[in-house]
Amino acid sequence: MKTGLWLIGARGSVAVTSMIGALAIRAGLAEPTGCVLESPELRSDALPGIGDLVFGGHDIVSTPLEKKAATLAEAGIVPGRLATAVQDVLLGIEHDVRPLPVAATQGETARAIGADLGRFRSRHRLDRIVVINVSTTEPAPPPHPAHADLAALRAALEGQEPVLPPSALAAYAALSAGCPYVDFTPSTGARLPALDTLARERGLPYGGHDGKTGETLVKSVLAPMFAQRNLKVRTWSGINLLGGGDGANLAEPAANAAKAASKQRVLPETLGYVPQGDTRIDFVADLGDFKTAWDLVTFDGFLGTRMRVEFTWHGCDSALAAPLILDLARLTAAAHRAGRTGPLTELAFFFKDPLGSVPHALAEQWRALRAAVEAYGTASTPR
Amino acid sequence: MKTGLWLIGARGSVAVTSMIGALAIRAGLAEPTGCVLESPELRSDALPGIGDLVFGGHDIVSTPLEKKAATLAEAGIVPGRLATAVQDVLLGIEHDVRPLPVAATQGETARAIGADLGRFRSRHRLDRIVVINVSTTEPAPPPHPAHADLAALRAALEGQEPVLPPSALAAYAALSAGCPYVDFTPSTGARLPALDTLARERGLPYGGHDGKTGETLVKSVLAPMFAQRNLKVRTWSGINLLGGGDGANLAEPAANAAKAASKQRVLPETLGYVPQGDTRIDFVADLGDFKTAWDLVTFDGFLGTRMRVEFTWHGCDSALAAPLILDLARLTAAAHRAGRTGPLTELAFFFKDPLGSVPHALAEQWRALRAAVEAYGTASTPR
Amino acid sequence: MKTGLWLIGARGSVAVTSMIGALAIRAGLAEPTGCVLESPELRSDALPGIGDLVFGGHDIVSTPLEKKAATLAEAGIVPGRLATAVQDVLLGIEHDVRPLPVAATQGETARAIGADLGRFRSRHRLDRIVVINVSTTEPAPPPHPAHADLAALRAALEGQEPVLPPSALAAYAALSAGCPYVDFTPSTGARLPALDTLARERGLPYGGHDGKTGETLVKSVLAPMFAQRNLKVRTWSGINLLGGGDGANLAEPAANAAKAASKQRVLPETLGYVPQGDTRIDFVADLGDFKTAWDLVTFDGFLGTRMRVEFTWHGCDSALAAPLILDLARLTAAAHRAGRTGPLTELAFFFKDPLGSVPHALAEQWRALRAAVEAYGTASTPR
Amino acid sequence: MKTGLWLIGARGSVAVTSMIGALAIRAGLAEPTGCVLESPELRSDALPGIGDLVFGGHDIVSTPLEKKAATLAEAGIVPGRLATAVQDVLLGIEHDVRPLPVAATQGETARAIGADLGRFRSRHRLDRIVVINVSTTEPAPPPHPAHADLAALRAALEGQEPVLPPSALAAYAALSAGCPYVDFTPSTGARLPALDTLARERGLPYGGHDGKTGETLVKSVLAPMFAQRNLKVRTWSGINLLGGGDGANLAEPAANAAKAASKQRVLPETLGYVPQGDTRIDFVADLGDFKTAWDLVTFDGFLGTRMRVEFTWHGCDSALAAPLILDLARLTAAAHRAGRTGPLTELAFFFKDPLGSVPHALAEQWRALRAAVEAYGTASTPR
């Protein structure tokens, strides 16, 4: 089950960390820590192995992968010895990481993206390609009537005016080329009615949104705890301090707003009401890829007694995201093989802002994931 | 379904807070915050209502309930207006709170306990009585051959030498008197083979151990999160600072050891391995009933990147425990009515150190609890 | 040494807490905890006693002081028994708390304020009156040429257009009436060249700005620690969560900006450079007068090793500010008696954003304060 | 001013980090971050330069310095590039790091230590040698009458029974050989009346105890803050989690007790009373040389309002200690040259448990240090 993993933002920290990790695991140099599908309860023959993944992608920057790997090693995100050990294989991937096409119309750009995907598929004789967006967060796009209608969208894409934000254009191009699409960012991606129509028309699944790697992950277990104990959460405030590429981008108010909205959604969904308080995101360049989040939760116990929980999360965003990228590629490939189409609601476990009307409590998302892995296995023809 | 709730330690903070709360809720003066059975998903006609509970109990101290209520109000554990509002009803309960009998032999003591239970039952025409231990934590008792055999135990209890620690003697007395027994402390309680035999012989259920009210509650959702994300927890260290009666008792090394062991059990059970680090309990009198716990968790992410989570829990022990006492009385009564006998493994949700081979992840315990509430309803004859 | 303490914002939490406290201390019902001048090293006969203070003030709201006292007791800011005990004396103060005058021109308003001060002085035969601003934070005012010149200011105040923000108008009125003025807020107050001229002309001292009650207090000892150990602070980020009146006001971006700027000043002043990171202020109504601040400091040790300190401050703003108000009234009165004029730079210990070119390390500010108390004693004629 | 720095425990983490650092700074490869004497306010010609230090020492282990350096680099305590860059110079030091002599009597051992010091002095034509103890913490020794009398001590040292703990024997040997002695650990060192006599007899200064590198450093600025604000500290509890060599040693109850006592001393000394609460030290091997300390401080504000501060310190012990070792060697050499004898009370800034009756507030210790540096300059003859 040879599976292409095509990354939008293939020269970024998350993408290159996932490449180094997959190569190191394949070579027996590293454990698959953080790879959810490698936990005993989820291991399954229905999924392609980490070793079955073939990497490629688009990016607007041209930093060589090896150079990025060296930077990641220096920043303590990947061990230097691993960056060195996989250097040669990384050089081989270089050929499959292409500059993101930019053409006169968005329609033309989409076709150029599709052509790149086609060449990738033939060169490596891939069974399928999963396209995953790991580029920086976009502001929410202005609404456009063509977003709701596939025919109108197709027409509009041939005009001079851009009609889709880059993530949605990538989703359109991927789906048009027969590839499932997953968005690991809070950007629009395939989350437009016209693109849902396209996915169903082509019999393709799609997934997202916004990888759940830190503060929101903790929220998704603490909030259900309060709900199950019938404790009344009064306030939930948080701040995220982060540097790195995504941090700089999130210093932009529009992108920040998109992200912060995504981060708070878990509370009403699990508590059933909205406590006071906000989630802030602050850019502090010097922190690099290591993020510190602090949350304060105040709640009422019996007879109104006031209590509080605080937590501090100190994590490395790329190191938390990278193994999930491998998981998502493998799951989406298996879902595609099993004939799943439309939004992959069963992958809510991975996302801050999951598609569909799904549980937001981590434990329930975990059960849904386990059931999905089983279902993919049952649906697949024997290999 | 008039249910007696007989508390061992009936003049302590937890007991009196639960009385004030039940009376205030019944009078429409307070919300049932923290009462798990009042959450929409668990509300059921199969359970006695909070208003159906009749309070009584034993204690070795003789502080009047009203005086204890005033102390609780002053310490900010219950609102002063509620302590005042229920003053008269509390005075009525006074009659049913008896000095803990102490006789020449443990057998005799047990019979005296049983007689008190009998009088309580007749005076209030109760359908059943649930006995719950909320007294201070005992050291683990020395082993004794009679613990394993009911006949031997019965014989030994008639000797001059004590053979059971107080909590187990209370369990023996309760079960002998036909009352289900629940231990909210880490003490021995009904957790001896001879007492299990007794419970089954009498067709009675029993439950425990050690109410999960703070740090361990948080652990029971964070540890599964790490497991489900396949992140490797390297160290988990914690300290609990608490004053109050239980704090003073836990300053005793033997009781402290019993408690600390109970608190760490959740980690191997949910992670599948034992991370480095210990849980400390420190007595700081001035903190009173408000407990502050701090935990540091260090873990490996992808490719061994080191990360960490810290949390601080600042809660009021009695306010967290009291609503669970009401829940446990109602659940155990329903279980008894439904014919359940032996260890109530379905109540693991409430305990740090639950009986039986049960899940330790809170979310799974919650599902087991929900299923039990449904099963009790089905098994019960219509009222 | 009968001293009037005239509070701008006399019906607010800080003002009423300081009244209750002073009255309770005078009556022997409370300890002077938090009153800096009552520490053994600073006690001095050169200062008026807490019992020598006579309260009055202006406010734009009309909530009775007793009602405010009850609210403070309910919120846990002052003990209920104290609020009750001083109720009658508080009622007596009511007469001296006047509605803030508003006239056709700012000049006229100033004269009306002065008249109120005059009546207060005669009624109580006061030796002097200290005016302290404890009202909510203003946005920074637009610049005006008259701010730099006293004659121009006097002329401009007679025009229809307002030329001074409220705090500066209060300072102008106080100084014109022969009263020293202190600003406990970050607002403009006496901090304008024209008002400095006025103070010197009238032989009056003035003080400010922005009482140092929480996060900045901790910063003022931690930052010097890093400097003295020659450790390089890389980032210093913080967030303040607060409800209450001041919190609501600080939700306004302009007031928030004024406050946040004031809070960061200590870092460059003590470290000699500006680390990355910001201080946020978030309004969370439910937290009331209790403020939680969290700060993360990352720093380099020997050979660049990265380290970090986090702190959480959970304090009650009014309870922290109120005793400082009593201290400032007593100190400013003594300074006035001792003939000090112009900015009271020796009071930097009390302020986030102190007047003049003064040390920002708390320990140095403390020494300056101790020296000032001694100097006031030496300068004063014997009583 | 060529100064020998003779380290007891010369192959340990602190010692080797200080060597790598001094060599790297000398070579212009690193900044002297954390070296107190390199801050602008303390730089002085009266002090030997970092480049004037010549390293030697004793140890009971025989790990080559280069190997230890590699281990430190791997653990992230020193940068790999620096460990590599100074490798050759480190090899040169190897010759001056001797096995700790062990002879039939302690007197003989002391003479063997003295002989090693003599050879070190002649080989490098040193102006003087400062001996600093950085070995692991000892338990407090049993009292012995000879500790109080130099003549009795000299006699007792020739007997078969050991009379001094290792640190005190090292101090005896150093002082007998004309070398000032500093103890960076909580061990006994020169802190015995007989050794004080010896130091004065020989005209030598000595210093200690227990380098202040983390939690206690923060305490020494926070506790004075509470005192100066007249806030009443009610409880101060802390826990230190650490691995590494010192951590393992501190898992021994006796050493742990010695250390914990040293850590709490700052509170009564700065507050004037002893708040409730203890400081715990827990060994968690996996944390290595990185230490996490958490402290909870609860305090009363005005009218008894309860408030709290928490802080978490995450530091690298060796990286914090190493630059202070360089400072202490330079200061002690300058003190010796300036003719100081007996306990160096002016170095309290560096220690948890300083010699003599000295201030424990960091800011006052800093002023004493600055005065001492000036005094050393004045006392020294021109070079």
Side-chain angles (χ1 to χ4, degrees):
Chain A
M1 197 154 56
K2 218 170 158 191
T3 303
L5 167 48
W6 188 266
L7 294 161
I8 315 291
R11 299 185 183 284
S13 297
V14 173
V16 180
T17 303
S18 75
M19 292 173 195
I20 295 171
L23 301 176
I25 293 165
R26 189 187 306 174
L29 301 171
E31 293 295 312
T33 309
C35 293
V36 171
L37 298 179
E38 296 297 318
S39 67
E41 279 172 292
L42 290 185
R43 236 173 257 146
S44 159
D45 287 347
L47 302 160
I50 292 176
D52 296 330
L53 298 176
V54 179
F55 287 90
H58 279 133
D59 209 320
I60 54 171
V61 302
S62 57
T63 329
L65 298 175
E66 305 88 295
K67 205 179 148 201
K68 184 70 186 180
T71 309
L72 292 169
E74 215 164 288
I77 300 167
V78 301
R81 59 175 187 88
L82 293 188
T84 308
V86 305
Q87 207 168 315
D88 290 351
V89 201
L90 219 47
L91 202 65
I93 295 176
E94 198 63 68
H95 187 67
D96 289 312
V97 179
R98 319 295 310 162
L100 187 68
V102 184
T105 66
Q106 286 198 319
E108 218 172 303
T109 299
R111 285 185 291 274
I113 292 173
D116 279 345
L117 287 168
R119 276 185 292 269
F120 181 53
R121 185 194 306 264
S122 356
R123 186 178 315 117
H124 296 284
R125 300 168 189 275
L126 300 168
D127 289 322
R128 60 184 56 74
I129 303 174
V130 176
V131 176
I132 304 188
N133 180 24
V134 289
S135 63
T136 52
T137 299
E138 303 163 359
H144 190 291
H147 291 173
D149 182 85
L150 182 55
L153 178 63
R154 279 177 173 141
L157 286 169
E158 303 307 323
Q160 295 300 314
E161 287 304 307
V163 58
L164 289 179
S167 65
L169 186 60
Y172 174 84
L175 296 169
S176 298
C179 302
Y181 174 90
V182 176
D183 211 308
F184 201 73
T185 80
S187 302
T188 307
R191 208 167 14 174
L192 293 174
L195 297 180
D196 180 73
T197 308
L198 174 57
R200 294 179 192 274
E201 205 179 277
R202 301 294 309 258
L204 290 170
Y206 62 91
H209 272 252
D210 206 5
K212 183 159 64 186
T213 54
E215 187 204 22
T216 313
L217 180 64
V218 178
K219 274 178 168 169
S220 74
V221 298
L222 279 186
M225 178 193 85
F226 288 111
Q228 288 169 355
R229 278 295 174 101
N230 204 19
L231 299 164
K232 169 85 183 162
V233 175
R234 300 188 65 105
T235 75
W236 197 310
S237 304
I239 186 165
N240 288 264
L241 305 173
L242 71 166
D246 203 37
N249 175 55
L250 290 172
E252 297 297 316
N256 194 311
K259 189 81 178 186
S262 167
K263 291 175 79 70
Q264 279 296 72
R265 201 183 148 201
V266 63
L267 297 184
E269 296 276 0
T270 52
L271 295 173
Y273 54 88
V274 183
Q276 289 186 11
D278 289 305
T279 295
R280 300 272 158 188
I281 305 170
D282 257 24
F283 176 60
V284 186
D286 194 69
L287 297 177
D289 208 50
F290 283 83
K291 184 171 74 175
T292 296
W294 172 78
D295 273 41
L296 171 67
V297 189
T298 65
F299 61 99
D300 275 357
F302 200 49
L303 309 179
T305 310
R306 290 292 185 96
M307 315 191 193
R308 51 177 26 221
V309 171
E310 280 173 52
F311 70 86
T312 309
W313 171 273
H314 177 65
C316 173
D317 256 19
S318 299
L320 287 158
L324 304 183
I325 298 300
L326 304 180
D327 286 330
L328 286 167
R330 298 164 70 192
L331 283 163
T332 306
H336 183 216
R337 192 167 74 134
R340 279 285 282 115
T341 63
L344 289 169
T345 52
E346 59 263 49
L347 305 188
F349 180 77
F350 294 92
F351 297 113
K352 289 192 193 74
D353 189 13
L355 295 168
S357 177
V358 292
H360 281 247
L362 192 74
E364 291 182 58
Q365 294 175 334
W366 167 255
R367 281 203 311 284
L369 176 63
R370 205 168 49 186
V373 170
E374 267 173 47
Y376 297 166
T378 312
S380 303
T381 50
R383 279 171 298 170
Chain B
M1 198 153 55
K2 219 173 160 190
T3 304
L5 167 46
W6 188 268
L7 294 161
I8 315 290
R11 299 186 184 281
S13 297
V14 173
V16 179
T17 303
S18 74
M19 291 172 195
I20 296 171
L23 301 177
I25 293 166
R26 190 187 304 174
L29 301 171
E31 293 295 311
T33 309
C35 294
V36 171
L37 297 179
E38 296 298 317
S39 68
E41 278 172 292
L42 290 185
R43 235 172 259 147
S44 159
D45 286 347
L47 302 161
I50 291 177
D52 297 330
L53 298 176
V54 179
F55 287 90
H58 279 133
D59 208 320
I60 53 170
V61 302
S62 57
T63 329
L65 298 175
E66 306 88 293
K67 203 179 151 203
K68 183 72 185 179
T71 310
L72 292 168
E74 214 165 288
I77 298 168
V78 303
R81 57 172 189 89
L82 294 187
T84 309
V86 304
Q87 208 169 312
D88 290 352
V89 201
L90 220 47
L91 202 64
I93 295 176
E94 198 63 68
H95 188 67
D96 290 311
V97 178
R98 317 298 307 164
L100 187 67
V102 184
T105 67
Q106 286 198 320
E108 216 173 304
T109 300
R111 285 184 291 275
I113 293 174
D116 279 345
L117 288 168
R119 276 185 290 268
F120 181 53
R121 185 194 306 264
S122 357
R123 185 178 315 119
H124 297 283
R125 300 169 188 273
L126 301 169
D127 289 322
R128 59 184 58 75
I129 302 172
V130 176
V131 176
I132 304 189
N133 180 23
V134 290
S135 62
T136 54
T137 300
E138 302 162 0
H144 189 289
H147 292 173
D149 182 84
L150 182 55
L153 178 64
R154 279 178 173 142
L157 286 170
E158 303 308 325
Q160 296 300 315
E161 288 303 306
V163 58
L164 290 177
S167 64
L169 185 61
Y172 173 85
L175 296 170
S176 298
C179 303
Y181 175 89
V182 176
D183 211 308
F184 201 72
T185 79
S187 302
T188 306
R191 211 168 10 176
L192 293 174
L195 297 180
D196 180 74
T197 309
L198 174 57
R200 293 181 193 273
E201 205 178 278
R202 301 293 310 256
L204 292 170
Y206 62 91
H209 271 252
D210 205 5
K212 183 159 63 186
T213 54
E215 186 204 23
T216 312
L217 180 64
V218 179
K219 274 178 168 169
S220 74
V221 297
L222 279 186
M225 178 193 85
F226 288 111
Q228 287 168 355
R229 278 297 173 101
N230 203 18
L231 298 164
K232 168 85 185 163
V233 175
R234 299 188 65 105
T235 75
W236 197 311
S237 304
I239 186 164
N240 288 264
L241 305 173
L242 70 166
D246 203 37
N249 174 54
L250 291 172
E252 297 297 316
N256 195 311
K259 188 83 178 184
S262 168
K263 291 176 78 71
Q264 280 295 73
R265 199 181 149 201
V266 62
L267 298 184
E269 295 277 0
T270 52
L271 295 172
Y273 54 89
V274 184
Q276 290 186 9
D278 289 306
T279 294
R280 300 270 157 188
I281 305 171
D282 257 25
F283 176 61
V284 186
D286 194 69
L287 298 176
D289 208 51
F290 282 84
K291 184 172 75 176
T292 295
W294 172 77
D295 273 41
L296 170 68
V297 189
T298 65
F299 61 99
D300 276 356
F302 201 47
L303 309 179
T305 310
R306 291 292 185 96
M307 315 190 194
R308 51 175 29 220
V309 171
E310 279 172 53
F311 69 86
T312 309
W313 170 273
H314 177 65
C316 173
D317 257 18
S318 299
L320 287 159
L324 304 182
I325 298 300
L326 305 180
D327 286 329
L328 285 167
R330 298 165 70 193
L331 283 163
T332 306
H336 183 218
R337 191 166 77 133
R340 280 285 282 115
T341 63
L344 289 168
T345 52
E346 59 263 50
L347 304 188
F349 180 77
F350 294 91
F351 296 113
K352 290 192 192 76
D353 189 13
L355 294 169
S357 177
V358 292
H360 280 246
L362 192 73
E364 291 181 60
Q365 294 175 336
W366 167 254
R367 281 203 311 285
L369 176 63
R370 205 167 49 187
V373 170
E374 268 173 46
Y376 297 164
T378 312
S380 303
T381 50
R383 280 172 296 172
Chain C
M1 198 155 56
K2 219 170 157 191
T3 304
L5 167 47
W6 189 266
L7 294 161
I8 314 291
R11 298 185 184 282
S13 297
V14 173
V16 180
T17 303
S18 74
M19 291 172 196
I20 295 170
L23 301 176
I25 292 166
R26 189 187 305 174
L29 301 171
E31 293 295 311
T33 309
C35 294
V36 171
L37 298 179
E38 297 298 317
S39 67
E41 279 172 290
L42 291 185
R43 237 172 257 145
S44 159
D45 286 347
L47 302 160
I50 292 177
D52 297 330
L53 298 176
V54 179
F55 286 90
H58 279 133
D59 207 321
I60 53 171
V61 302
S62 56
T63 329
L65 298 175
E66 306 89 293
K67 204 182 149 199
K68 183 71 185 180
T71 311
L72 292 169
E74 213 163 290
I77 299 167
V78 302
R81 58 172 188 91
L82 293 187
T84 308
V86 304
Q87 207 168 315
D88 289 351
V89 202
L90 220 48
L91 202 64
I93 296 176
E94 198 63 70
H95 188 66
D96 290 311
V97 178
R98 319 294 310 162
L100 188 68
V102 183
T105 66
Q106 285 199 318
E108 217 172 304
T109 300
R111 285 184 292 274
I113 292 174
D116 279 346
L117 287 167
R119 275 185 292 269
F120 181 52
R121 184 193 307 263
S122 357
R123 185 178 317 117
H124 297 284
R125 301 169 187 272
L126 301 169
D127 290 320
R128 59 184 56 75
I129 303 172
V130 177
V131 176
I132 304 188
N133 180 24
V134 289
S135 63
T136 54
T137 299
E138 304 162 0
H144 190 289
H147 291 173
D149 181 84
L150 181 55
L153 179 64
R154 278 176 173 143
L157 287 170
E158 303 307 325
Q160 295 301 314
E161 288 303 307
V163 58
L164 290 177
S167 64
L169 186 59
Y172 173 83
L175 296 169
S176 298
C179 302
Y181 174 89
V182 176
D183 211 308
F184 201 74
T185 80
S187 302
T188 306
R191 209 167 15 174
L192 292 174
L195 296 180
D196 179 73
T197 308
L198 174 57
R200 294 179 191 274
E201 207 178 276
R202 300 295 308 258
L204 291 170
Y206 62 91
H209 270 253
D210 205 5
K212 183 159 63 186
T213 53
E215 187 205 21
T216 312
L217 180 64
V218 179
K219 274 178 168 170
S220 75
V221 298
L222 279 186
M225 179 192 84
F226 288 112
Q228 288 169 353
R229 279 296 174 101
N230 204 18
L231 298 164
K232 169 85 185 163
V233 175
R234 300 189 65 107
T235 75
W236 197 310
S237 304
I239 188 164
N240 288 263
L241 306 172
L242 70 167
D246 202 38
N249 175 54
L250 291 171
E252 295 298 315
N256 194 311
K259 189 83 179 185
S262 168
K263 291 176 78 72
Q264 279 297 71
R265 200 183 149 201
V266 63
L267 296 184
E269 296 277 0
T270 52
L271 295 173
Y273 53 88
V274 183
Q276 289 186 10
D278 290 305
T279 294
R280 301 271 157 188
I281 305 170
D282 257 24
F283 176 60
V284 186
D286 194 68
L287 298 178
D289 208 51
F290 283 84
K291 184 172 75 174
T292 295
W294 173 77
D295 273 41
L296 171 68
V297 189
T298 65
F299 61 100
D300 275 356
F302 201 48
L303 308 180
T305 310
R306 290 295 185 94
M307 315 189 192
R308 52 177 26 219
V309 171
E310 279 173 53
F311 70 86
T312 309
W313 170 273
H314 177 65
C316 173
D317 257 19
S318 299
L320 287 159
L324 304 182
I325 298 301
L326 304 180
D327 286 329
L328 285 166
R330 297 165 71 193
L331 283 163
T332 305
H336 183 218
R337 190 167 76 133
R340 280 284 283 115
T341 63
L344 289 169
T345 52
E346 59 264 49
L347 305 188
F349 180 77
F350 294 92
F351 297 114
K352 289 193 194 76
D353 190 12
L355 294 169
S357 176
V358 292
H360 280 247
L362 192 74
E364 292 183 58
Q365 295 175 335
W366 166 254
R367 282 203 310 286
L369 176 63
R370 206 168 47 185
V373 170
E374 268 173 47
Y376 296 165
T378 312
S380 302
T381 50
R383 281 171 295 171
Chain D
M1 198 152 57
K2 220 171 158 191
T3 304
L5 167 47
W6 188 267
L7 296 160
I8 315 290
R11 299 184 184 283
S13 296
V14 173
V16 179
T17 303
S18 75
M19 292 173 195
I20 295 171
L23 301 176
I25 293 166
R26 189 187 303 174
L29 299 172
E31 292 296 312
T33 309
C35 295
V36 172
L37 299 178
E38 296 298 317
S39 68
E41 279 173 291
L42 290 185
R43 236 172 257 146
S44 159
D45 285 347
L47 302 160
I50 291 176
D52 297 330
L53 298 176
V54 179
F55 287 90
H58 280 134
D59 209 319
I60 53 170
V61 302
S62 56
T63 329
L65 298 174
E66 307 88 293
K67 205 180 149 200
K68 184 71 185 180
T71 310
L72 292 168
E74 215 163 287
I77 299 167
V78 302
R81 58 174 188 88
L82 293 187
T84 309
V86 304
Q87 206 169 315
D88 290 351
V89 202
L90 220 48
L91 201 65
I93 295 175
E94 198 63 68
H95 188 66
D96 290 312
V97 179
R98 320 295 309 162
L100 186 69
V102 184
T105 66
Q106 285 198 319
E108 216 173 305
T109 300
R111 286 184 290 274
I113 292 174
D116 279 346
L117 288 168
R119 276 186 291 270
F120 181 52
R121 185 194 305 264
S122 358
R123 185 180 314 118
H124 296 285
R125 302 169 186 272
L126 301 169
D127 288 321
R128 62 183 55 74
I129 303 173
V130 176
V131 176
I132 304 188
N133 179 23
V134 290
S135 62
T136 52
T137 298
E138 303 163 0
H144 190 287
H147 290 174
D149 182 84
L150 181 54
L153 178 63
R154 279 180 173 138
L157 287 170
E158 304 307 326
Q160 296 300 316
E161 288 303 306
V163 58
L164 291 177
S167 65
L169 186 60
Y172 174 83
L175 296 170
S176 298
C179 302
Y181 175 90
V182 176
D183 210 308
F184 201 74
T185 79
S187 303
T188 306
R191 211 167 11 175
L192 293 174
L195 297 180
D196 180 73
T197 308
L198 174 59
R200 293 181 192 272
E201 204 179 277
R202 301 293 311 256
L204 291 170
Y206 62 90
H209 272 251
D210 205 5
K212 183 159 63 187
T213 54
E215 188 205 20
T216 313
L217 180 64
V218 179
K219 274 178 169 170
S220 74
V221 298
L222 279 186
M225 178 192 86
F226 287 112
Q228 288 169 354
R229 279 297 175 100
N230 204 18
L231 299 164
K232 168 86 183 162
V233 175
R234 300 188 64 105
T235 74
W236 197 311
S237 304
I239 187 165
N240 287 264
L241 306 173
L242 71 165
D246 203 38
N249 175 53
L250 291 171
E252 297 297 316
N256 195 311
K259 189 82 178 185
S262 168
K263 292 176 79 69
Q264 279 296 72
R265 199 182 149 202
V266 63
L267 298 184
E269 295 277 0
T270 52
L271 295 174
Y273 53 89
V274 184
Q276 289 186 9
D278 289 305
T279 294
R280 301 271 158 188
I281 306 171
D282 257 24
F283 175 60
V284 186
D286 195 69
L287 298 176
D289 209 50
F290 282 84
K291 184 171 76 177
T292 295
W294 172 78
D295 273 41
L296 170 68
V297 189
T298 65
F299 60 99
D300 275 356
F302 200 48
L303 309 179
T305 311
R306 291 291 185 96
M307 315 190 193
R308 51 176 27 220
V309 171
E310 278 173 53
F311 69 86
T312 310
W313 170 274
H314 177 65
C316 173
D317 256 19
S318 299
L320 286 159
L324 304 182
I325 298 300
L326 304 180
D327 286 329
L328 285 168
R330 297 165 70 193
L331 283 163
T332 306
H336 183 218
R337 191 167 76 132
R340 280 285 282 114
T341 61
L344 290 168
T345 52
E346 59 263 48
L347 304 188
F349 180 76
F350 294 93
F351 297 113
K352 288 193 194 75
D353 189 12
L355 294 169
S357 177
V358 292
H360 279 247
L362 193 73
E364 292 181 59
Q365 295 175 335
W366 166 253
R367 281 202 311 285
L369 177 63
R370 205 167 50 185
V373 170
E374 268 174 47
Y376 297 164
T378 311
S380 303
T381 50
R383 280 171 297 171

